[in-house]
Amino acid sequence: MSLLPHLQCRPEQIAERVILCGDPARVDRIASQLEGSELLGQNREFRLINGLYQGLSVTVCSTGIGGASAIIALEELVQAGARALVRVGSAGALQHEIALGDLVVVEGAVRHDGGSLSYLPPEYPACADLRLQLSLLERIVASGHPHWHGLVRSHDSFYRDDEQAVCRYWHERGVLGADMETASLLTVGRLRKVRVAAVLCNVVAFEQDVQQGVSDYAKSEAAMMAGERLAIAAALHALTR
């Protein structure tokens, strides 16, 4: 059978349960929590592996930065048979109380991305699958790790001239954090009738300069990894419940 056009692997290699992440390097860190992981392929930003968790097959796929490439991955994964997908990603906080390394389980997303808007009007909500949300929370609550549950905002650029004002606007409306992929995945996943959820690790403090925040993230990688490891474990728990 022909290869999936962008993912460059065979459709029959894709499991029904999928973890999505932005960074291709994170794929290998997720693989460390799986048994018998096997590289399926890598093309551009898309790196894929298969492995087993509690005897069940799981595919892990990176999507790169932004909603457009995330949708490409989602569409091809769903065409190949994926039915439940959890994004394990990072976010910047929009509330002062959210510390570096805290986890955010997404309830829904503000759709400020171009990817989802190319499919559906802004009135269509970006909502995470309820069962996956509850399973993510179950695992994270049991760990005692600091966490939040609510809304995020997905957007297409860090470097708008009015970025601080935009962040302050959504801060005042109770949005927890910002990323670049979640709204696209939730919206198109719902359209395609598959279950999608997201758990995000906070890597930038609210009202901290973005470039400084990214620099601090690099310096604090060990601390961030604890949150990421738990996010991965929670995603695997949710997908295999």
Side-chain angles (χ1 to χ4, degrees):
M1 185 175 288
S2 61
L3 299 178
L4 296 167
H6 296 89
L7 303 186
Q8 286 293 292
C9 59
R10 299 191 309 278
E12 64 269 21
Q13 293 178 293
I14 302 301
E16 291 187 9
R17 303 167 182 86
V18 177
I19 291 183
L20 299 167
C21 59
D23 184 0
R26 188 175 292 143
V27 171
D28 295 326
R29 298 197 292 272
I30 297 170
S32 70
Q33 296 196 35
L34 299 174
E35 296 179 0
S37 59
E38 170 194 11
L39 179 66
L40 302 183
Q42 180 158 355
N43 180 48
R44 298 191 180 190
E45 61 265 53
F46 306 113
R47 179 174 175 82
L48 293 96
I49 65 162
N50 269 357
L52 295 176
Y53 183 78
Q54 297 184 349
L56 297 172
S57 182
V58 176
T59 295
V60 183
C61 176
S62 62
T63 66
I65 296 175
S69 61
I71 289 173
I72 289 172
L74 176 77
E75 290 277 33
E76 295 189 9
L77 290 163
V78 172
Q79 290 169 18
R83 292 296 174 264
L85 307 93
V86 176
R87 165 167 155 72
V88 173
S90 57
L94 291 178
Q95 303 297 325
H96 295 106
E97 298 83 5
I98 302 177
L100 295 177
D102 285 10
L103 295 182
V104 175
V105 176
V106 176
E107 182 179 10
V110 176
R111 293 175 54 208
H112 276 183
D113 64 300
S116 73
L117 293 173
S118 69
Y119 282 76
L120 291 161
E123 295 84 0
Y124 190 95
C127 300
D129 178 80
L130 181 59
R131 285 185 294 164
L132 289 174
Q133 286 184 65
L134 293 175
S135 293
L136 288 168
L137 286 166
E138 179 181 56
R139 178 63 178 83
I140 294 167
V141 168
S143 75
H145 190 89
H147 65 279
W148 306 79
H149 180 219
L151 301 178
V152 299
R153 170 181 172 258
S154 297
H155 58 91
D156 286 338
S157 178
F158 283 119
Y159 299 112
R160 289 175 52 157
D161 292 339
D162 60 349
E163 183 66 20
Q164 289 186 346
V166 171
C167 290
R168 170 59 62 172
Y169 177 91
W170 291 107
H171 159 79
E172 291 171 353
R173 284 148 184 82
V175 174
L176 298 177
D179 79 339
M180 301 183 75
E181 296 83 24
T182 296
S184 290
L185 293 169
L186 297 183
T187 303
V188 180
R190 181 78 61 160
L191 179 65
R192 298 300 182 222
K193 297 180 172 58
V194 295
R195 300 165 58 212
V196 183
V199 55
L200 309 175
C201 182
N202 179 42
V203 298
V204 181
F206 181 51
E207 294 190 316
Q208 181 180 49
D209 176 78
V210 170
Q211 291 181 340
Q212 184 61 47
V214 172
S215 175
D216 287 349
Y217 171 63
K219 295 175 185 176
S220 317
E221 188 173 2
M224 297 299 99
M225 287 300 102
E228 181 183 279
R229 283 193 298 271
L230 178 57
I232 295 166
L236 290 167
H237 173 79
L239 287 169
T240 56
R241 287 287 287 168

